[in-house]
Amino acid sequence: MKEVLVVGGGPAGLTAAKSLIDMGAKVVLVEKTDSLGGMARELTCKGFVECRNCGVCFAIDRANDILRESGAEVLLLSEVSSATKAEHGYSVKIKTSPRYVTDDCIACGKCVSVCPVDGKAVFPPTGSGQPRTYWIDRTKCIHFKKARCEKCAAVCPTKAVDYEDRATNLTRAVSAIVYATGIDPIDACEMSRLGCGTLKDVISSVDAERILNWKGRLVRPSDGKPPKKIAVMQCVGSRTVKTGVEYCSKFCCKYATKISQLLLDIDPEVSLDFYFMDLRTLYEPQDEFKTWAKSKKTVRMLRTMPATVTAGKEGKLLVRAASETDLDISEAEYDLVILSVGMRPSASGWDLAKTLGIARDENGFAKGSESLEREGIFVTGAVSEPMDIEESAVRAISSASKIRGSRGEPP
Ligand SMILES: Cc1cc2nc3c(=O)[nH]c(=O)nc-3n(C[C@H](O)[C@H](O)[C@H](O)COP(=O)(O)OP(=O)(O)OC[C@H]3O[C@@H](n4cnc5c(N)ncnc54)[C@H](O)[C@@H]3O)c2cc1C
Ligand code: SF4
Ligand code: SF4
Ligand code: SF4
């Protein structure tokens, strides 16, 4: 049976792969990084007492589903080097980089603790990425430079370190290709007036998600203390000509409202100011967050885009913003500022897209089309337009169904 190639192991690619397998297809899933899960690997579960439907666990569960599937060939640290039209689809060449750690890894972390390289040369998989197999970065590892450093191999309890691992080149015949290369978060430091990169306690929402995911609570990068007064700022880098991202990134209101609620769940004493232009909580009623905010004495919703963030007195951050009703400038001090960033389509994979005939729209997103689908090329997930995990999954299921429809049964 011919297989389907899925490019990208994020929520969209994983869901497409699972749906295709459930329909009886075989899937080759190519992911360029060390693990499956996509952007969701770096995101925190936003539930505390109860689930807040953020979708993050869904993506990690999907990754584990795919790893258990016998119908999936999962190729990590891999990229498609070429795709050429063949009789019943495409002949694709895939290059897989060596990991230098085998599946016997039990993720004990002993290798990292003994690695003498500054910044380390052996790493756990990104965030909550699956599988939890570690990997060695050959460009940093001194074993490959001066030879004979085998400290990680010496402490590894399962003998999982394999310096003889080599790059492989594979060829697969596939009947269809799912293109799901996803997103890159906007760099908050592109908005330098908000203190990113110069003030330690100004962090991006990506940083906030990573810290919460890793530690379960937020602390100030400058002194390690839990912040008591926090500002959350929306639309950072989105809806502005400055970054070239003139569109609404669509999911940042949703995650930022849930992070705000999580922060209050973790510490009910926290004061939180939520600066926003419009509240776009996707499929959930905006009123829900507004009602929640009104019910909390320490939460304010401020409909304005702050002008600057500068250093205040005694380690505080000073935020200047026009008031909601007139142009009077108000000032407020905070312990921590979170900049809620949006997204751009992933910068990776465009050579392949070009080969496959996938064009970009005026904002740089990948354009799917019926004619491409007739050729067996399916663009899905957030590389095609801003969307959250849930919508990425829904679109991916739709793509899988179309593949089944157009490529016969099973594909
Ligand atoms: C700060 C932040 C917080 C968020 N919080 C939430 C939230 O709480 N809830 C929610 O629903 N959504 C949230 N999102 C949005 C969510 O991350 C996206 O909706 C989702 O990740 C999109 O899934 P995707 O599979 O399309 O893309 P991605 O998750 O970006 O996955 C794409 C995958 O493709 C891989 N890839 C890229 N190029 C190639 C290539 N050339 N070859 C092989 N592989 C490649 C990437 O490495 C990646 O693994 C958040 C986003 C950000 C930035
Ligand atoms: S061989 Fe040495 S330098 Fe390389 S990853 Fe192992 S401990 Fe680090
Ligand atoms: S020491 Fe071995 S088993 Fe432990 S994390 Fe490192 S490679 Fe994996
Ligand atoms: S989703 Fe909200 S924060 Fe994100 S760009 Fe749109 S309005 Fe701004």
Side-chain angles (χ1 to χ4, degrees):
M1 189 205 306
K2 290 267 168 52
E3 295 172 311
V4 178
L5 171 72
V6 176
V7 186
L14 291 166
T15 308
K18 177 78 175 98
S19 301
L20 286 160
I21 291 166
D22 289 347
M23 290 172 194
K26 290 207 166 182
V27 167
V28 185
L29 177 56
V30 175
E31 164 57 46
K32 70 170 180 163
T33 67
D34 54 40
S35 55
L36 299 179
M39 186 66 216
R41 293 173 300 182
E42 312 211 44
L43 305 179
T44 183
C45 161
K46 284 139 192 114
F48 190 72
V49 181
E50 56 189 33
C51 172
R52 284 215 164 85
N53 289 320
C54 69
V56 171
C57 59
F58 165 85
I60 303 305
D61 289 349
R62 271 282 167 275
N64 281 315
D65 288 344
I66 293 300
L67 290 167
R68 279 192 290 266
E69 288 287 356
S70 56
E73 182 181 21
V74 176
L75 301 170
L76 300 171
L77 298 173
S78 299
E79 287 197 60
V80 177
S81 40
S82 74
T84 46
K85 200 108 183 67
E87 200 186 342
H88 297 293
Y90 294 85
S91 170
V92 291
K93 288 194 170 20
I94 302 156
K95 183 169 182 198
T96 297
S97 300
R99 191 173 192 109
Y100 303 111
V101 178
T102 68
D103 294 346
D104 291 334
C105 172
I106 52 166
C108 68
K110 287 186 179 164
C111 48
V112 177
S113 59
V114 297
C115 178
V117 174
D118 190 18
K120 305 295 175 186
V122 58
F123 300 98
T126 308
S128 354
Q130 303 295 325
R132 301 304 302 158
T133 309
Y134 281 44
W135 64 286
I136 291 174
D137 182 345
R138 186 189 174 100
T139 62
K140 295 184 177 145
C141 173
I142 52 177
H143 176 80
F144 297 101
K145 290 179 186 156
K146 300 178 190 161
R148 301 256 52 89
C149 172
E150 293 182 4
K151 287 182 193 282
C152 53
V155 294
C156 180
T158 57
K159 306 278 171 250
V161 176
D162 173 14
Y163 301 114
E164 300 307 314
D165 197 7
R166 292 285 174 267
T168 51
N169 291 296
L170 304 168
T171 304
R172 294 285 178 271
V174 297
S175 56
I177 299 177
V178 177
Y179 187 82
T181 52
I183 65 167
D184 289 335
I186 294 168
D187 179 0
C189 295
E190 288 182 41
M191 304 293 280
S192 50
R193 64 185 171 79
L194 298 177
C196 172
T198 50
L199 301 169
K200 275 190 177 166
D201 296 326
V202 175
I203 62 172
S204 75
S205 48
V206 179
D207 298 328
E209 292 263 8
R210 278 187 195 134
I211 299 169
L212 283 162
N213 191 27
W214 185 243
K215 297 191 167 164
R217 66 191 183 108
L218 275 188
V219 288
R220 280 172 33 117
S222 63
D223 56 14
K225 289 188 182 152
K228 285 291 171 195
K229 193 160 182 216
I230 301 174
V232 176
M233 293 178 191
Q234 295 308 102
C235 296
V236 176
S238 294
R239 303 173 69 193
T240 165
V241 286
K242 184 165 166 54
T243 57
V245 176
E246 293 180 42
Y247 49 87
C248 165
S249 289
K250 252 174 82 179
F251 52 63
C252 7
C253 280
K254 175 176 165 171
Y255 74 67
T257 52
K258 290 177 195 289
I259 288 181
S260 301
Q261 291 174 315
L262 176 64
L263 292 175
L264 265 287
D265 284 346
I266 294 170
D267 182 356
E269 306 282 293
V270 156
S271 294
L272 189 140
D273 283 353
F274 192 88
Y275 291 89
F276 70 109
M277 296 206 283
D278 296 294
L279 198 57
R280 298 185 172 170
T281 45
L282 286 175
Y283 324 104
E284 289 161 16
Q286 298 180 6
D287 286 354
E288 216 166 272
F289 183 69
K290 287 185 181 161
T291 309
W292 173 86
K294 273 193 196 134
S295 74
K296 301 282 170 191
K297 287 197 182 76
T298 58
V299 176
R300 290 193 302 167
M301 292 186 69
L302 303 164
R303 191 163 198 162
T304 178
M305 182 72 196
T308 56
V309 182
T310 51
K313 289 182 199 135
E314 293 164 7
K316 302 269 183 200
L317 299 163
L318 186 68
V319 171
R320 306 185 87 228
S323 83
E324 285 181 62
T325 46
D326 52 43
L327 290 178
D328 286 350
I329 301 293
S330 64
E331 290 184 345
E333 283 190 330
Y334 299 94
D335 298 323
L336 187 84
V337 169
I338 301 174
L339 306 178
S340 297
V341 295
M343 54 84 70
R344 289 192 173 91
S346 166
S348 162
W350 290 102
D351 287 346
L352 173 65
K354 216 168 154 187
T355 317
L356 299 175
I358 301 171
R360 295 188 190 214
D361 70 12
E362 66 281 9
N363 290 315
F365 289 95
K367 281 205 288 192
S369 68
E370 281 181 13
S371 62
L372 271 179
E373 289 175 1
R374 277 195 295 276
E375 296 293 314
I377 309 293
F378 295 78
V379 176
T380 202
V383 71
S384 64
E385 64 176 79
M387 62 182 79
D388 69 347
I389 292 169
E390 189 179 341
E391 189 175 349
S392 302
V394 169
R395 299 281 188 103
I397 292 169
S398 157
S399 296
S401 307
K402 284 194 220 165
I403 292 174
R404 179 192 168 106
S406 67
R407 304 277 114 183
E409 199 178 324

